[in-house]
Amino acid sequence: MSHSKDDDSFPIGGGSINEKERFYDSKVKRKIVGHERTPSSVIVDRDDGDASVPPLEKISQFDPSHSLAHMLHAMVGLERYPNYLSRWQMGDVDKLEAALQDQLAEVQRQKTAIGERRAGLEQLVKKAVGENSEMLNPPASWYEVRKNILNPRAAKAIFESKFFSRKRDGECPTIEQVLTGETAVELDPGMLENWLDQEMFDVYSIELLSQEFCLKLKEFVRKVVAVGETEEFAHLNIGRRSVDLDTIGLGWINDLLFHLIMRPISRLLYVSTESMDELDWRQGYVAGYSVDPAAARGAPRQRLVSHTDDSEVTLNLCIGDEFEGGALQFRGLRGTDEEGELLGEFQPQLGTALLHAGRHLHEVTNVESGDRYAFIIWARSW
């Protein structure tokens, strides 16, 4: 089927899937030996029998280097269809190959930079707290977790759940099995009712960690940051950003709270409202705020504007200090009618954590005095 050069309303593909290559830029010029013409479309049927007309100089708008949508379209196609690229122009294949090579180079660059930074942070931690700091070692038993880490209310809700209480000595999962995710912890809804307080829709508060442990964590981070601001380690910029616990030897704290608290609670509270699968990824870090912001104390901000998190579920735990202001304000779930509306405010309390949906807009108000530190874990399912 041929189309008039002046017809701008031609059918795409003649009703058949992938019948012919598709070009949508109607302003592309086609260069012919001895003359030039501008077709109404660059989809052309070569049925004119003119053997002197050279092949169409095809111009595509495909640009995976600058369009994420184009790149994702190509990735989905490669995943779903065998020999997917056989229908492509070679020029577009070259563009895709170049874009992927650029992305691979960026991954390799970041991998190298991360490795170098983490090696530097390891040396920094050794200098700041030594190799034998008790904070660097995960607890050896559940007794230590109950005695040294958890708030008594948290310990009761967790260890009196059937998952732990029904198991005879020797059958209880080990700390290592929980930290690695080998064993999935289950908590009783009835025990949670006596422990969790709902502050507003999808926002819950729990007394989680002992005040003593919170202050130990805060002091550990502050020691590391203080040494990190010396000339030897200044290039690591550790005090100017949130401090990732994985990078300073405290990843076990992330794992403990993720597997012991966030996964089992989210299974009960958020699976339906957030339409998510089982949580299987987490990032935990300490963020500091101050009336007098200073990188040397790991408190580079005075406030934080309204935002959502890179998570499906967030745990936000106050670990000190003495401060005024710095309230958490919640402003509705992203994508709902309440988005941007102030729904409530929570004043942080030492050892108490908030659990909320990552898409819930929230902000930190101005710290009016002192230093405020929060231990935050983002969690999501891949």
Side-chain angles (χ1 to χ4, degrees), residues 23 28-31 42 54-60 89:
F23 300 88
V28 176
K29 289 189 175 182
R30 183 182 179 194
K31 294 183 179 179
V42 292
L56 177 66
E57 183 181 331
K58 301 173 182 177
I59 299 178
S60 167
Q89 301 172 58

Side-chain angles (χ1 to χ4, degrees), residues 26-308:
S26 63
K27 298 180 181 179
V28 176
K29 289 189 175 182
R30 183 182 179 194
K31 294 183 179 179
I32 308 297
V33 175
H35 68 282
E36 171 179 287
R37 63 179 176 175
T38 303
S40 60
S41 163
V42 292
I43 295 184
V44 178
D45 289 322
R46 296 302 306 277
D47 57 359
D48 53 16
D50 185 357
S52 66
V53 178
L56 177 66
E57 183 181 331
K58 301 173 182 177
I59 299 178
S60 167
Q61 302 302 306
F62 181 65
D63 187 8
S65 293
H66 300 95
S67 171
L68 179 59
H70 291 188
M71 176 66 82
L72 293 176
H73 182 89
M75 293 298 96
V76 171
L78 287 169
E79 173 67 21
R80 295 181 62 182
Y81 304 113
N83 303 314
Y84 174 64
L85 297 182
S86 63
R87 70 190 70 172
W88 284 36
Q89 301 172 58
M90 286 307 296
D92 284 348
V93 175
D94 290 340
K95 291 179 184 178
L96 177 60
E97 181 180 28
L100 290 173
Q101 287 175 340
D102 288 344
Q103 291 298 317
L104 177 59
E106 177 61 15
V107 169
Q108 292 171 334
R109 184 196 68 78
Q110 290 195 28
K111 180 181 178 181
T112 298
I114 290 169
E116 292 174 350
R117 186 170 191 274
R118 290 184 177 179
L121 288 171
E122 184 177 353
Q123 295 303 313
L124 165 57
V125 171
K126 288 181 180 178
K127 187 164 186 177
V129 300
E131 298 183 14
N132 300 316
S133 170
E134 62 175 309
M135 289 293 291
L136 294 172
N137 301 312
S141 68
W142 291 120
Y143 174 77
E144 290 184 28
V145 173
R146 299 184 65 156
K147 179 183 178 183
N148 301 328
I149 298 176
L150 294 179
N151 177 282
R153 289 190 67 194
K156 178 180 176 65
I158 294 167
F159 293 105
E160 290 187 12
S161 288
K162 294 177 182 178
F163 178 82
F164 285 100
S165 64
R166 71 186 176 189
K167 295 179 179 296
R168 299 189 303 272
D169 292 342
E171 292 185 358
C172 188
T174 65
I175 293 283
E176 183 178 1
Q177 288 174 320
V178 171
L179 291 181
T180 60
E182 178 183 341
T183 300
V185 173
E186 298 176 9
L187 300 179
D188 296 351
M191 300 300 298
L192 297 183
E193 288 181 4
N194 297 322
W195 179 31
L196 275 69
D197 291 317
Q198 185 169 11
E199 302 295 333
M200 63 200 77
F201 178 73
D202 261 8
V203 179
Y204 302 86
S205 64
I206 52 176
E207 293 180 77
L208 182 54
L209 298 185
S210 72
Q211 293 187 3
E212 181 183 7
F213 185 80
C214 289
L215 295 177
K216 284 182 178 180
L217 174 57
K218 181 205 68 177
E219 288 305 319
F220 183 99
V221 170
R222 287 182 57 150
K223 285 180 180 179
V224 171
V225 168
V227 176
E229 285 301 300
T230 62
E231 183 177 354
E232 181 181 0
F233 298 103
H235 65 285
L236 298 174
N237 291 324
I238 190 169
R240 295 171 174 80
R241 61 179 74 177
S242 299
V243 180
D244 189 321
L245 295 197
D246 285 321
T247 66
I248 61 171
L250 300 181
W252 69 265
I253 303 177
N254 292 335
D255 290 331
L256 180 67
L257 299 189
F258 176 66
H259 291 294
L260 189 63
I261 307 297
M262 296 189 72
R263 290 184 69 193
I265 291 181
S266 297
R267 215 177 287 133
L268 298 170
L269 298 181
Y270 293 107
V271 169
S272 59
T273 60
E274 297 309 302
S275 302
M276 66 188 190
D277 296 322
E278 180 78 10
L279 298 176
D280 56 13
W281 175 92
R282 92 291 179 277
Q283 180 192 15
Y285 59 92
V286 170
Y289 306 84
S290 177
V291 67
D292 181 25
R297 298 194 311 279
R301 293 189 179 107
Q302 187 174 6
R303 63 184 297 266
L304 187 60
V305 299
S306 186
H307 64 284
T308 56

Side-chain angles (χ1 to χ4, degrees), residues 307-342:
H307 64 284
T308 56
D309 295 335
D310 185 17
S311 69
E312 288 169 314
V313 179
T314 294
L315 182 146
N316 189 320
L317 171 74
C318 177
I319 59 172
D321 234 346
E322 295 181 2
F323 61 91
E324 294 180 358
L328 267 173
Q329 292 185 343
F330 288 88
R331 297 185 175 273
L333 295 173
R334 178 83 76 186
T336 68
D337 293 339
E338 294 179 329
E339 179 178 339
E341 178 183 346
L342 179 60

